[in-house]
Structures are given as C-alpha cells and as structure tokens.
Amino acid sequence: MTRRSTLAWWIVLGLPVAALLLWAAIDNSRLFFRTVLNGLTLSALYFLVASGFTLVFGLMRNVNLAHGALFLLGAYVGFSVQAATGSWLVALAAGFAATAIAGLLMQLIIFRHMEGDDMRQTLVTIGLSIVMANLMLWIWGGDTYVFQPPSGLDGSITIPGVGRFPAFRVALLVAAIVIGVALWLFLNRTRVGMMIRAGVDDRNMLSASGVNVQRVFAITFAIGAGLAGLAGVVGGTALSVAPGEDTRYLLASLVVVIVGGMGSVSGAAIGALLIGLAETFGLAYVPTYGIVFTFLIMVLVLAFRPQGIMGRAR
C-alpha cells in the first residue's frame, strides 16, 4: 500500500471520529472536557507503564510478560513503605528500586540465557508472572489499596470548563511528559543510550568494539522494570491497586507498544494517548462497548501500518 493511499484511508476513517467528537463537545461541553482530561491522565499512566515495556520488549526484543507483575510489585512495596515512613516520595523510590532489582535479576538469571528464543521467554515469564501474582496475594492479601498523595497534591484544583479536578492527576500528566522527554534524551543523546540502540541492531559489532553488551542490556532491563514499579506507585495514587491490575496494565502496555511502534518512546507516547482517550471516551459515552475502541485502534494500525505508527519497517 502506497503512502498516499494509506493517508487517504486515515482521512476517511478520521472524519467520522472528528464529527462524533465535535457532536459530543457541543452536546455536553463539561462532560466532554472532563472526559478529555481523564483520558489524558490515563494516557500518562499508560505511558509510564509502557515506556518501561518498550525498552524491554520493543527495543531489546525480550518478551517479558511479567511486566504487569512488576507494576503490581512496585505498587505493593511502595504502599508498605509509605505505611511505614509516611513519605510518598520514599515510597516512589522504593517501588522503583525494588522492581529495578527484580528486573536486573530477571535479565541475569533468565533472559541472558534465552536470547532470541521468543517462545521460551514467553512461557517462562507467563509462569513467573503467575508465581509473583500468587506470592503478592499471599503477602498483601486481596484488598484494594490507595496511596495517600504527597502533601500539596492531595486536594483538587479548578479548571475552566471542567470544574474541580484532582491536583495529583494534573501532576501525573506533567510528570509523564518530563519522564518521556528524559527517556528520549537518554536513548538518543547519551553514550549509554546509543550503545543500547547499537547493541540491539548489531550486538556482535558492539561487543567487538570492547563494550560489555550484557552489562548494557542489564542496565536497560533494570530501568524498564524500575519504570514499571514507579508507575505502580503513581497508578496506586491516581486510581488504586488490587490483585488483577497486573493483567490489565500488561495488556495495555502490549497494545500501546504495538500501536506506537516497537522500540519508539515517541511511538509509546502516541499509542498511550490514543488508547487512553479511546478507553475513557468509550466508558463515558458507550460503556457497554467501550473496550471495543481500544482493539479497533490496534486492528486499524496493524492493517495499515503493521510496524506501528512510529515503528521502523524491518
């Protein structure tokens, strides 16, 4: 399919969506703008989870289906630390550190011995996620936990056209933008980031140049896992954390990476934006069929751009 025909199809598909959004904005502007803001904050949360996943799965090509379990582990560890210290920032650091260490161990013990074997990686990490989920259920029980937001962000602010809105969710949106920019700069403007991308493209050549490829990949895996734990604490503060959330966020991460493009941070941001807005608008206007919009976006992207919106053709 040529670029011109693909663009024509996107225009044909986008016009009805734009018309529906315009109708929704005119029919009930307050509901529309609140839904947009809820969608943006959900997109920010999805991006935080998927940014770590795009490093491990999209960039390194390691099929880690225990990524959702790392999200849940970070949330539970962070909650316990906040309950013990009373500090949300310490809880955030603990959630990141705990899952970064867990990810580092996974890379050293599991993935370095299964490089290029997608099926083994898939089966092993599915088993690992089940074991981790049951261990967390045993330790923390089946209750739903909600973090106490940091001081200064535990109230709400007034936004024109929306009304009162939780201040923490606005901060979440800003934090996701900052982390996204920092991650892009890390991968594209630092020596370590360039080594990571070079190692993915040709690890033998990178190794021949004297770089310890396994160390670079271990660092990458630790950062990706740490971002999942950080997102667990943030998600537990913005929404809640409970058994089963690991599956939800793993599925969201998969869809975001597929839609945005493998290994692209900017693609993960675009994918998270599309999926978060689609899910929120679906729940607000057609709750019975809301989940359909998420997978409809994925089907359309795979049909017209199989490598994802920002992905590279291989």
Side-chain angles (χ1 to χ4, degrees), residues 120-134:
R120 288 179 65 198
Q121 291 176 1
T122 301
L123 294 176
V124 169
T125 53
I126 287 175
L128 184 61
S129 67
I130 294 172
V131 171
M132 291 175 66
N134 281 278

Side-chain angles (χ1 to χ4, degrees), residues 73-87 91 94 139-140 145 147:
L73 176 63
Y76 280 137
V77 170
F79 182 84
S80 297
V81 170
Q82 187 184 45
T85 65
S87 172
I139 296 171
W140 283 282
Y145 298 104
F147 287 76

Side-chain angles (χ1 to χ4, degrees), residues 51-62 64 67 70 96 99-100 103-104 107-108 111 183 186-187 190-200 206 212-228 263 265:
S51 60
F53 195 65
T54 200
L55 284 177
V56 174
F57 176 54
L59 189 60
M60 294 174 59
R61 298 296 189 268
N62 282 340
N64 180 23
H67 192 76
L70 292 171
F96 179 90
T99 51
L104 181 62
Q107 168 64 19
L108 296 177
F111 283 101
L183 193 58
F186 169 73
L187 289 174
T190 67
R191 184 171 180 270
V192 176
M194 293 177 184
M195 286 193 296
I196 291 171
R197 291 185 289 111
V200 171
L206 184 64
N212 188 329
V213 177
Q214 290 300 332
R215 181 181 297 172
V216 171
F217 278 14
I219 293 172
T220 308
F221 208 105
I223 294 173
L227 286 171
V265 175

Side-chain angles (χ1 to χ4, degrees), residues 31-218:
L31 174 62
F32 175 80
F33 288 115
R34 176 168 284 273
T35 304
V36 168
L37 201 51
N38 282 327
L40 289 175
T41 55
L42 182 62
S43 300
L45 179 57
Y46 281 169
F47 172 73
L48 290 179
V49 185
S51 60
F53 195 65
T54 200
L55 284 177
V56 174
F57 176 54
L59 189 60
M60 294 174 59
R61 298 296 189 268
N62 282 340
V63 185
N64 180 23
L65 296 187
H67 192 76
L70 292 171
F71 169 91
L72 201 57
L73 176 63
Y76 280 137
V77 170
F79 182 84
S80 297
V81 170
Q82 187 184 45
T85 65
S87 172
W88 186 86
L89 290 176
V90 174
L92 185 70
F96 179 90
T99 51
I101 293 171
L104 181 62
L105 292 175
M106 288 171 63
Q107 168 64 19
L108 296 177
I109 298 172
I110 298 174
F111 283 101
R112 70 179 300 175
H113 303 294
M114 300 182 182
E115 291 179 356
D117 195 338
D118 295 346
M119 182 59 69
R120 288 179 65 198
Q121 291 176 1
T122 301
L123 294 176
V124 169
T125 53
I126 287 175
L128 184 61
S129 67
I130 294 172
V131 171
M132 291 175 66
N134 281 278
L135 285 174
M136 287 184 281
L137 182 63
W138 173 54
I139 296 171
W140 283 282
D143 297 332
T144 298
Y145 298 104
V146 179
F147 287 76
Q148 180 64 34
S151 58
L153 297 175
D154 55 351
S156 58
I157 59 176
T158 301
I159 299 177
V162 175
R164 305 296 293 177
F165 197 81
F168 181 81
R169 288 197 169 195
V170 178
L172 164 60
L173 181 57
V174 175
I177 295 172
V178 172
I179 291 174
V181 172
L183 193 58
W184 185 88
L185 290 173
F186 169 73
L187 289 174
N188 293 277
R189 294 290 185 270
T190 67
R191 184 171 180 270
V192 176
M194 293 177 184
M195 286 193 296
I196 291 171
R197 291 185 289 111
V200 171
D201 292 335
D202 192 339
R203 71 180 60 192
N204 291 328
M205 181 64 71
L206 184 64
S207 179
S209 66
V211 175
N212 188 329
V213 177
Q214 290 300 332
R215 181 181 297 172
V216 171
F217 278 14

